[in-house]
Amino acid sequence: SYTDSHGCVGKDTNQTQVVAGPNVQFTGIATAYCKNTASFSLLSKATPTGGVFQIDHVSGNSFNPSNLGTGSHTISYSVTDALGCSDTDSLVVYVNPVSTSSITGLGSSYCENDADINLIVSPSGGSLSGNGINGSTFQPSDSNLVIGQNSITYIYSNPYGCSDTAIASTIIKAITPISLSLTNTSFCSNDSLVPIQVSPTGGTLTGTGVNSGQMTFDPANANAGSNLISYYYYNSDACVSSDSVTVFVHTPSQVSFT
């Protein structure tokens, strides 16, 4: 109201309405992520919807740690409602480094009867697992392995709780079942030649008194006492199978007439 010098009063009224503006709230965003965390959408991570996200002042609707450097990053969200009222909020998110895991020493293939293999993992202190694994060695003879491809896994988690997985594969090749037999395992030194049966044929026979070409054992040419006869067979995968048998040769007593 206003009163002039003559005592006249003028009056006017104006109404103003104050409305609540938008209130930005973040939801479901962690304070830290590993650099190998999968990219995720931000669209459901703040309310009310319909606003604009920025990561380090660059507009974007997804957060991809693998595309960001390690360290701190700022996510901000701004929204303006139909009345022109706006609100902005921001939070700091950390991207933590990942230590790369590796497995070395595993060959591309092994025969199922090969000796144990020492493996090297890096960084040390992780978990090595898989069929054929015993501590830090790989055992091709492990019965849990399959003929064909097999994989082992090494997982390492660093002090930030960020883990990396290394996977190595190798092929296990089968050996060929073989057999070696003689008609007996005890002979006199004056006995005749003894045939040797092997299966499959095509391998190598060894031992004192053995004729590999004729597949025979000659007690006369063997040592008195025990003799080891062995058979080795290489299949098409260059895997060797072996079998052996111990035979005994006895020297007859000398007979004379008096």
Side-chain angles (χ1 to χ4, degrees):
S1 64
Y2 175 77
T3 303
D4 63 14
S5 59
H6 300 289
C8 298
V9 178
K11 184 183 293 185
D12 195 7
T13 301
N14 183 35
Q15 291 184 336
T16 300
Q17 182 181 13
V18 178
V19 297
N23 181 24
V24 169
Q25 299 285 330
F26 287 103
T27 178
I29 298 180
T31 57
Y33 292 93
C34 298
K35 193 168 177 62
N36 58 354
T37 299
S39 175
F40 60 88
S41 173
L42 294 171
L43 293 177
S44 62
K45 303 297 185 182
T47 57
T49 60
V52 176
F53 286 96
Q54 287 189 330
I55 304 170
D56 297 332
H57 307 292
V58 177
S59 296
N61 291 327
S62 63
F63 188 79
N64 189 352
S66 64
N67 289 340
L68 301 172
T70 56
S72 62
H73 299 274
T74 301
I75 300 175
S76 61
Y77 181 66
S78 301
V79 64
T80 302
D81 64 15
L83 298 175
C85 299
S86 63
D87 188 32
T88 299
D89 198 5
S90 62
L91 54 80
V92 175
V93 175
Y94 290 87
V95 174
N96 291 323
V98 175
S99 303
T100 303
S101 299
S102 66
I103 304 170
T104 56
L106 188 69
S108 60
S109 65
Y110 296 97
C111 298
E112 62 177 315
N113 58 350
D114 280 346
D116 294 355
I117 309 300
N118 292 320
L119 302 177
I120 299 174
V121 294
S122 178
S124 60
S127 175
L128 183 63
S129 63
N131 291 336
I133 293 297
N134 182 9
S136 61
T137 64
F138 177 72
Q139 300 174 318
S141 59
D142 190 328
S143 61
N144 293 314
L145 293 167
V146 299
I147 301 301
Q149 183 165 295
N150 296 262
S151 296
I152 60 175
T153 302
Y154 181 65
I155 302 175
Y156 176 80
S157 295
N158 64 19
Y160 295 101
C162 297
S163 63
D164 187 50
T165 301
I167 299 175
S169 299
T170 189
I171 294 173
I172 298 298
K173 299 179 293 185
I175 61 173
T176 301
I178 65 172
S179 64
L180 165 67
S181 62
L182 288 80
T183 56
N184 202 347
T185 57
S186 181
F187 305 96
C188 296
S189 60
N190 57 358
D191 284 344
S192 57
L193 296 178
V194 181
I196 301 173
Q197 289 80 38
V198 297
S199 178
T201 59
T204 302
L205 270 172
T206 63
T208 305
V210 170
N211 186 316
S212 182
Q214 295 181 357
M215 304 290 289
T216 58
F217 172 68
D218 186 358
N221 289 328
N223 298 318
S226 64
N227 293 264
L228 183 67
I229 300 175
S230 299
Y231 181 60
Y232 301 92
Y233 179 82
Y234 286 86
N235 62 18
S236 58
D237 286 322
C239 292
V240 61
S241 306
S242 64
D243 195 7
S244 60
V245 62
T246 299
V247 298
F248 294 88
V249 175
H250 307 279
T251 302
S253 300
Q254 295 292 324
V255 176
S256 61
F257 290 100
T258 58

